[in-house]
Amino acid sequence: MPRKGHDGSLNGRVLIAGGGIGGLTLALSLHQLGVPCTVFEAATEVRELGVGINILPHSARVLMSLGLLRELDDVAIRTRELRYLNHLGQQIWAGECGLWGGHDVPQLSIHRGRLHGVLWRAAQARLPVGGLRNGYRLHGFTQGSHGVTARFTLADGTEAEERGDVLVGADGIHSALRALLHPGDGGIRWQGSQLWRGAVDWPVFEGGNVMLIAADSMAKLTVYPIAEGRSAGTRLTNWVMNGKVADGASPPPRRENWSRPGKLEEALPFARRLRLPFLDIEALIRATPQFFEYPECDRDPLPWWTRGRVTLLGDAAHPMYPTGSNGSAQAILDATCLARLLSELAPEAALSAYEAERRPKTAEVVCNNRRGGPERVLDLVAERAPKGFNRLEDVITTAELADIVGGYARLTGLASH
């Protein structure tokens, strides 16, 4: 990395702690720009875990530039429309998505594990031998004027050191690097909402490419297809049931209680609060062989991400509520920004410019998501018309809808493309 090359380009190696969506996108972007890198993933094996997420157009454009659109299309659904509904299924807002919404790339609804699999296989194929390493858990680093040394605990309990010119922590909401940089960080924040998430083959509804979000004051359902089903007339359908179970004053569930199997008796009372005429929510949940529960958590925005040659990316830097489908999108945008700057500038200058560009934007998204993001329109309607409405304009104005939903799109960068 420059020592200092005439053009400021990197001559050494970028060390990436974390082989998730953000870390792999960074690696693929760096490789495309000719910047050497190595990904160190703590898990000993990569499994296609998780449920559905959305790849919004501003992040889909990055993945398309990496030549991945065909592989993603093979395992995803191109989302045509997003609709916000009240608890009775009355429409509050609808907007066309992706190509239907005037973007030059699609919006993709996809199983998170399948997205991760596409990125991992691409990195395996493109990075040199040794560019992807499993079973490396970061536990420390040192740095100086000529580089950084990362210290890892390996799966067999031994330790290893790797030297590079930059260290990037893309190691998720429980980031080891974030803890090293910010030992006094306030920790994970929880406002009392629990998520139950699952995916199951289900008969096509609303054309098979529509995302629906319905809510009252205590419960919210997000449901959308993420792949073709195994039988004709079905889609692999992702659902998320969000229920308010605490007031937010208590600490979040212990880490070992994240991603544990969900219980029908806990999820169904919230599902029964919502009555959509075209979808039997309770039957959808009951038909899911196994679903999982997660606390809806984030962390407070950090005052800084970077020290010298070390920085954070994605959920390690700015974990956020899933409102607005922007968690993975913002990690992907981090990655393409950082890769570009590392290809243009000396290491410390690149990391400084990256933080200056991305930290303020993501901090705003984190805070906006806490207030409900674009889905705040659901909260307003539930508050103002708890029994439904005859005329939407008597409950919320067109200007309010445009300000909340359109303002969020501008904030996250979606409306700028």
Side-chain angles (χ1 to χ4, degrees):
M1 289 186 195
R3 276 201 178 61
K4 213 173 193 195
H6 292 298
D7 59 359
S9 60
L10 302 179
N11 301 315
R13 190 166 54 127
V14 177
L15 310 178
I16 304 170
I21 292 169
L24 292 173
T25 303
L26 175 61
L28 291 168
S29 300
L30 289 169
H31 176 75
Q32 187 177 65
L33 293 168
V35 179
C37 64
T38 305
V39 177
F40 301 91
E41 167 55 38
T44 55
E45 61 176 318
V46 174
R47 295 180 292 162
E48 295 190 355
L49 302 175
V51 284
I53 60 173
N54 267 265
I55 307 173
L56 301 178
H58 54 349
S59 52
R61 187 173 292 103
V62 174
L63 300 181
M64 186 173 72
S65 74
L66 294 172
L68 299 175
L69 183 57
R70 181 179 60 79
E71 288 86 350
L72 292 171
D73 259 334
D74 287 343
V75 294
I77 295 290
R78 292 191 173 195
T79 309
R80 173 173 56 87
E81 189 173 62
L82 168 63
R83 298 177 193 165
Y84 295 150
L85 313 171
N86 72 356
H87 66 293
L88 301 175
Q90 294 177 295
Q91 184 168 294
I92 297 168
W93 180 86
E96 293 181 314
C97 302
L99 298 173
W100 288 275
H103 295 274
D104 58 349
V105 294
Q107 176 171 324
L108 298 169
S109 294
I110 188 170
H111 189 287
R112 185 200 176 281
R114 293 179 182 177
L115 168 59
H116 189 233
V118 167
L119 293 169
W120 187 268
R121 288 188 293 275
Q124 282 182 315
R126 299 178 191 183
L127 298 182
V129 174
L132 280 178
R133 302 190 196 177
N134 289 98
Y136 279 70
R137 186 175 298 277
L138 181 74
H139 73 258
F141 72 89
T142 55
Q143 64 173 319
S145 58
H146 297 296
V148 58
T149 299
R151 298 191 296 275
F152 297 93
T153 301
L154 277 57
D156 62 5
T158 60
E159 296 188 358
E161 291 188 349
E162 297 287 337
R163 184 166 177 80
D165 292 316
V166 163
L167 172 61
V168 180
D171 48 347
I173 190 171
H174 300 291
S175 169
L177 187 56
R178 179 180 176 128
L180 291 168
L181 292 173
H182 292 275
D185 182 32
I188 289 172
R189 304 294 187 185
W190 185 53
Q191 292 183 336
S193 290
Q194 196 79 354
L195 305 177
W196 294 271
R197 306 181 67 167
V200 65
D201 278 6
W202 193 255
V204 170
F205 62 88
E206 300 296 291
N209 56 4
V210 171
M211 179 178 182
L212 305 171
I213 305 178
D216 71 357
S217 60
M218 295 293 291
K220 179 171 68 176
L221 173 76
T222 303
V223 60
Y224 52 92
I226 55 176
E228 296 293 333
R230 288 171 290 184
S231 58
T234 67
R235 297 282 190 275
L236 179 60
T237 301
N238 177 79
W239 60 266
V240 183
M241 193 74 240
N242 182 315
K244 191 76 171 176
V245 299
D247 62 6
S250 55
R254 296 188 305 272
R255 183 172 175 178
E256 58 267 27
N257 289 337
W258 292 43
S259 304
R260 68 180 179 183
K263 298 177 181 178
L264 282 172
E265 63 268 26
E266 294 178 355
L268 289 182
F270 293 99
R272 290 170 182 149
R273 297 178 64 94
L274 309 175
R275 300 188 296 278
L276 306 186
F278 49 83
L279 180 64
D280 187 335
I281 303 169
E282 181 170 344
L284 174 68
I285 295 174
R286 286 186 178 275
T288 307
Q290 186 176 47
F291 60 93
F292 298 90
E293 69 174 36
Y294 311 75
E296 185 179 42
C297 292
D298 66 1
R299 290 180 183 265
D300 288 338
L302 290 170
W304 51 268
W305 295 352
T306 303
R307 279 296 179 263
R309 296 168 177 265
V310 178
T311 196
L312 301 169
L313 182 147
D315 278 354
H318 48 73
M320 60 185 64
Y321 291 158
T323 302
S325 304
N326 254 277
S328 59
Q330 294 302 316
I332 290 168
L333 295 178
D334 287 350
T336 191
C337 171
L338 180 55
R340 171 178 53 82
L341 291 166
L342 284 169
S343 73
E344 297 171 349
L345 302 173
E348 294 187 41
L351 268 54
S352 178
Y354 157 71
E355 177 174 330
E357 181 172 337
R358 294 297 302 158
R359 187 176 62 82
K361 293 177 181 178
T362 55
E364 284 192 79
V365 179
V366 169
C367 294
N368 195 292
N369 280 11
R370 283 184 179 176
R371 299 191 297 270
E375 295 161 27
R376 189 158 58 90
V377 298
L378 297 168
D379 300 328
L380 291 176
V381 172
E383 176 186 333
R384 297 171 184 176
K387 296 182 179 179
F389 51 82
N390 292 320
R391 292 182 355 123
L392 178 62
E393 54 267 37
D394 294 335
V395 179
I396 188 168
T397 67
T398 302
E400 281 182 289
L401 289 170
D403 181 57
I404 294 170
V405 180
Y408 186 80
R410 290 188 293 274
L411 169 68
T412 59
L414 181 59
S416 65
H417 296 282

